[in-house]
């Protein structure tokens, strides 16, 4: 067993193995002080940003990154929380159009149902940038670019790291997997499931099987509730693949309530890399985490400026690698003298 002293190195090593590459409430507008950030000396860019909600630790970090980056850049930010409802995001985007913001950015709740409001933004000559999640549209010109991670590859990496987890655990025999999916219709839920199944079907068709799969809406409460139902209908589950850390943490509560040991009786792989996920790893309750970097704010602000200046940008801009996961691991471990 790893000592706490050695855990940080091991945890970050696991992270490195997986790679890097989730009614609308207005939080008001904010802008940096005059003379600060890249907005200095010119009219500040006004950015309307509609966030999915605050369903997870990842989403909180993502919102904080957007807010702090906008302040640093000297932009006026109009921020809204959709509380995981598409109709709230559509309403927020329409409000931004009425307010004549310079650029609209949003992280879509689901992939479909955006054509009408995006056409309204295009007619108003307001460019739209997607963050974190993608959409499906009838016209690709309705948005400029997407700044985010490759969710399909995250699913693949989750399957590959599960191979290592099973080997380390000395597991023999059938692998019976429970899958906690993200919000139905959301890009990360669709693509993480797709990537995981690609590897499973290609390399483990004979010994791996997803015996039960259901959405937990990316929330702890959802993970807890759905996992309890999984254990009643399939008590012989020996692996859990959770589409995010928060659902995995909720599931742990149900696993323990059922008298089983998370991380041992049921091996757990999740995606995100937030602090509470590392706490669970330090306790041996989550076996491995694939990182999804939420710190998109600085990249988004760079893109917003280019878009406002009429510069050409790539159709898809991948999330930059960062020290986010390592920082979360450090914060998760208690201070201790040796």
């Amino acid at each position: 067993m790893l000592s706490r002293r050695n855990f940080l190195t091991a945890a970050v090593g696991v992270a490195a193995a997986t790679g890097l590459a989730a009614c609308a409430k207005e939080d008001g507008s904010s802008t940096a002080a005059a003379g600060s950030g890249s907005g200095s000396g010119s009219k500040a860019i006004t950015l309307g940003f509609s966030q999915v909600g605050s369903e997870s630790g990842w989403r909180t970090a993502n919102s904080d990154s957007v807010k702090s980056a906008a302040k640093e850049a000297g932009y006026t930010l109009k921020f809204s929380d959709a509380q995981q409802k598409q109709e709230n995001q559509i309403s927020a985007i329409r409000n931004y159009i009425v307010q004549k913001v310079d650029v609209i950015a949003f992280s879509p709740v689901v992939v479909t149902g955006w054509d009408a409001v995006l056409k309204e933004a295009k007619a108003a000559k307001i460019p739209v940038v997607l963050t974190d999640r993608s959409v499906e549209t009838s016209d690709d010109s309705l948005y400029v670019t997407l700044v985010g991670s490759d969710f399909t590859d995250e699913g693949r990496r989750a399957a590959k790291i599960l191979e290592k987890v099973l080997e380390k655990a000395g597991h023999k025999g059938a692998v019976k997997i429970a899958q906690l999916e993200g919000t139905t219709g959301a890009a990360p839920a669709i693509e993480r499931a797709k990537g995981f199944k690609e590897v499973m079907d290609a390399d483990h068709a004979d010994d791996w099987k997803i015996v039960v799969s259901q959405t937990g809406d990316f929330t702890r409460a959802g993970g807890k509730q759905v996992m309890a139902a999984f254990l009643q209908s399939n008590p012989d589950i020996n692996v859990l693949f959770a589409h995010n850390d928060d659902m995995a943490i909720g599931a742990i509560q149900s696993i323990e309530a059922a008298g089983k040991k998370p991380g041992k009786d049921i091996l757990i792989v999740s995606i995100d890399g937030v602090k509470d996920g590392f706490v669970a790893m330090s306790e041996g309750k989550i076996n491995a985490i694939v990182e999804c970097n939420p710190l998109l704010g600085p990249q988004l602000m760079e893109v917003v400026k280019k878009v406002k200046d009429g510069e050409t940008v790539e159709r898809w801009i991948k999330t930059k690698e960062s020290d986010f996961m390592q920082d979360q691991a450090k914060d998760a471990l208690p201070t201790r003298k040796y």
Side-chain angles (χ1 to χ4, degrees):
M1 174 169 293
L2 292 173
S3 68
R4 285 187 179 274
R5 186 175 188 179
N6 293 327
F7 169 73
L8 178 59
T9 301
V12 174
V14 171
T18 64
L20 291 174
C23 142
K25 182 176 71 175
E26 283 285 348
D27 287 354
S29 301
S30 61
T31 184
S36 68
S38 61
S40 175
S42 62
K43 180 181 177 294
I45 293 172
T46 299
L47 169 64
F49 184 86
S50 177
Q51 182 60 279
V52 171
S54 53
E55 77 284 358
S56 65
W58 190 98
R59 190 62 55 189
T60 298
N62 180 241
S63 293
D64 289 345
S65 177
V66 170
K67 291 175 182 178
S68 62
K71 183 176 181 180
E72 177 67 23
Y75 299 171
T76 297
L77 176 67
K78 296 181 180 293
F79 186 98
S80 65
D81 180 342
Q83 300 176 358
Q84 292 186 279
K85 295 180 181 178
Q86 184 178 31
E87 59 267 30
N88 291 344
Q89 282 198 303
I90 291 173
S91 177
I93 293 169
R94 285 184 170 141
N95 284 335
Y96 296 148
I97 294 170
V98 170
Q99 294 172 44
K100 298 181 180 180
V101 302
D102 295 303
V103 180
I104 293 171
F106 74 109
S107 181
V109 176
V110 293
V111 296
T112 59
W114 301 103
D115 277 25
V117 72
L118 291 178
K119 287 177 181 177
E120 292 171 26
K122 185 176 181 180
K125 298 182 179 179
I126 300 176
V128 175
V129 175
L130 304 180
T131 70
D132 177 39
R133 300 178 176 185
S134 62
V135 299
E136 294 176 3
T137 67
S138 60
D139 179 359
D140 285 345
S141 72
L142 294 178
Y143 68 93
V144 178
T145 188
L146 162 66
V147 181
S149 301
D150 186 336
F151 297 134
T152 302
D153 195 52
E154 289 173 355
R156 295 187 192 107
R157 296 202 305 269
K160 299 304 288 186
I161 201 65
L162 176 56
E163 294 174 337
K164 297 179 182 180
V165 167
L166 289 165
E167 181 181 359
K168 183 176 179 181
H171 180 86
K172 304 295 181 182
V175 178
K176 299 181 179 181
I177 303 168
Q179 180 174 231
L180 275 170
E181 305 168 25
T183 303
T184 301
I190 295 168
E191 295 167 19
R192 286 169 181 167
K194 176 186 175 182
F196 188 90
K197 194 170 186 301
E198 278 181 13
V199 174
M200 186 179 76
D201 290 349
D203 301 335
H204 302 283
D206 296 332
D207 56 334
W208 290 19
K209 182 178 181 182
I210 296 176
V211 297
V212 63
S213 183
Q214 186 176 323
T215 179
D217 279 329
F218 283 127
T219 67
R220 293 191 192 192
K224 180 179 179 181
Q225 180 180 357
V226 174
M227 191 66 196
F230 283 174
L231 290 169
Q232 288 184 349
S233 62
N234 295 272
D236 56 348
I237 292 166
N238 49 35
V239 168
L240 170 64
F241 169 42
H243 287 187
N244 79 339
D245 289 349
D246 280 77
M247 288 191 296
I249 291 164
I252 285 169
Q253 297 176 47
S254 292
I255 292 169
E256 292 177 330
K260 295 178 181 289
K261 293 183 178 180
K264 292 184 180 180
D265 297 328
I266 298 179
L267 304 175
I268 300 176
V269 172
S270 67
I271 299 174
D272 270 355
V274 299
K275 175 182 174 180
D276 288 351
F278 271 101
V279 171
M281 280 186 67
S282 72
E283 296 169 346
K285 296 178 180 181
I286 291 180
N287 301 88
I289 297 172
V290 175
E291 179 175 5
C292 180
N293 182 9
L295 306 183
L296 307 182
Q299 277 181 279
L300 174 60
M301 300 314 147
E302 291 173 9
V303 170
V304 166
K305 187 175 188 306
K306 288 181 179 179
V307 169
K308 181 63 172 61
D309 292 343
E311 296 182 30
T312 300
V313 296
E314 297 174 48
R315 185 63 179 171
W316 177 33
I317 300 171
K318 292 186 179 181
T319 306
K320 291 178 181 176
E321 294 187 356
S322 73
D323 294 328
F324 171 73
M325 203 164 179
Q326 183 173 351
D327 290 342
Q328 298 300 291
K330 289 177 181 177
D331 289 344
L333 297 176
T335 301
R336 181 176 174 185
K337 292 183 179 179
Y338 297 94

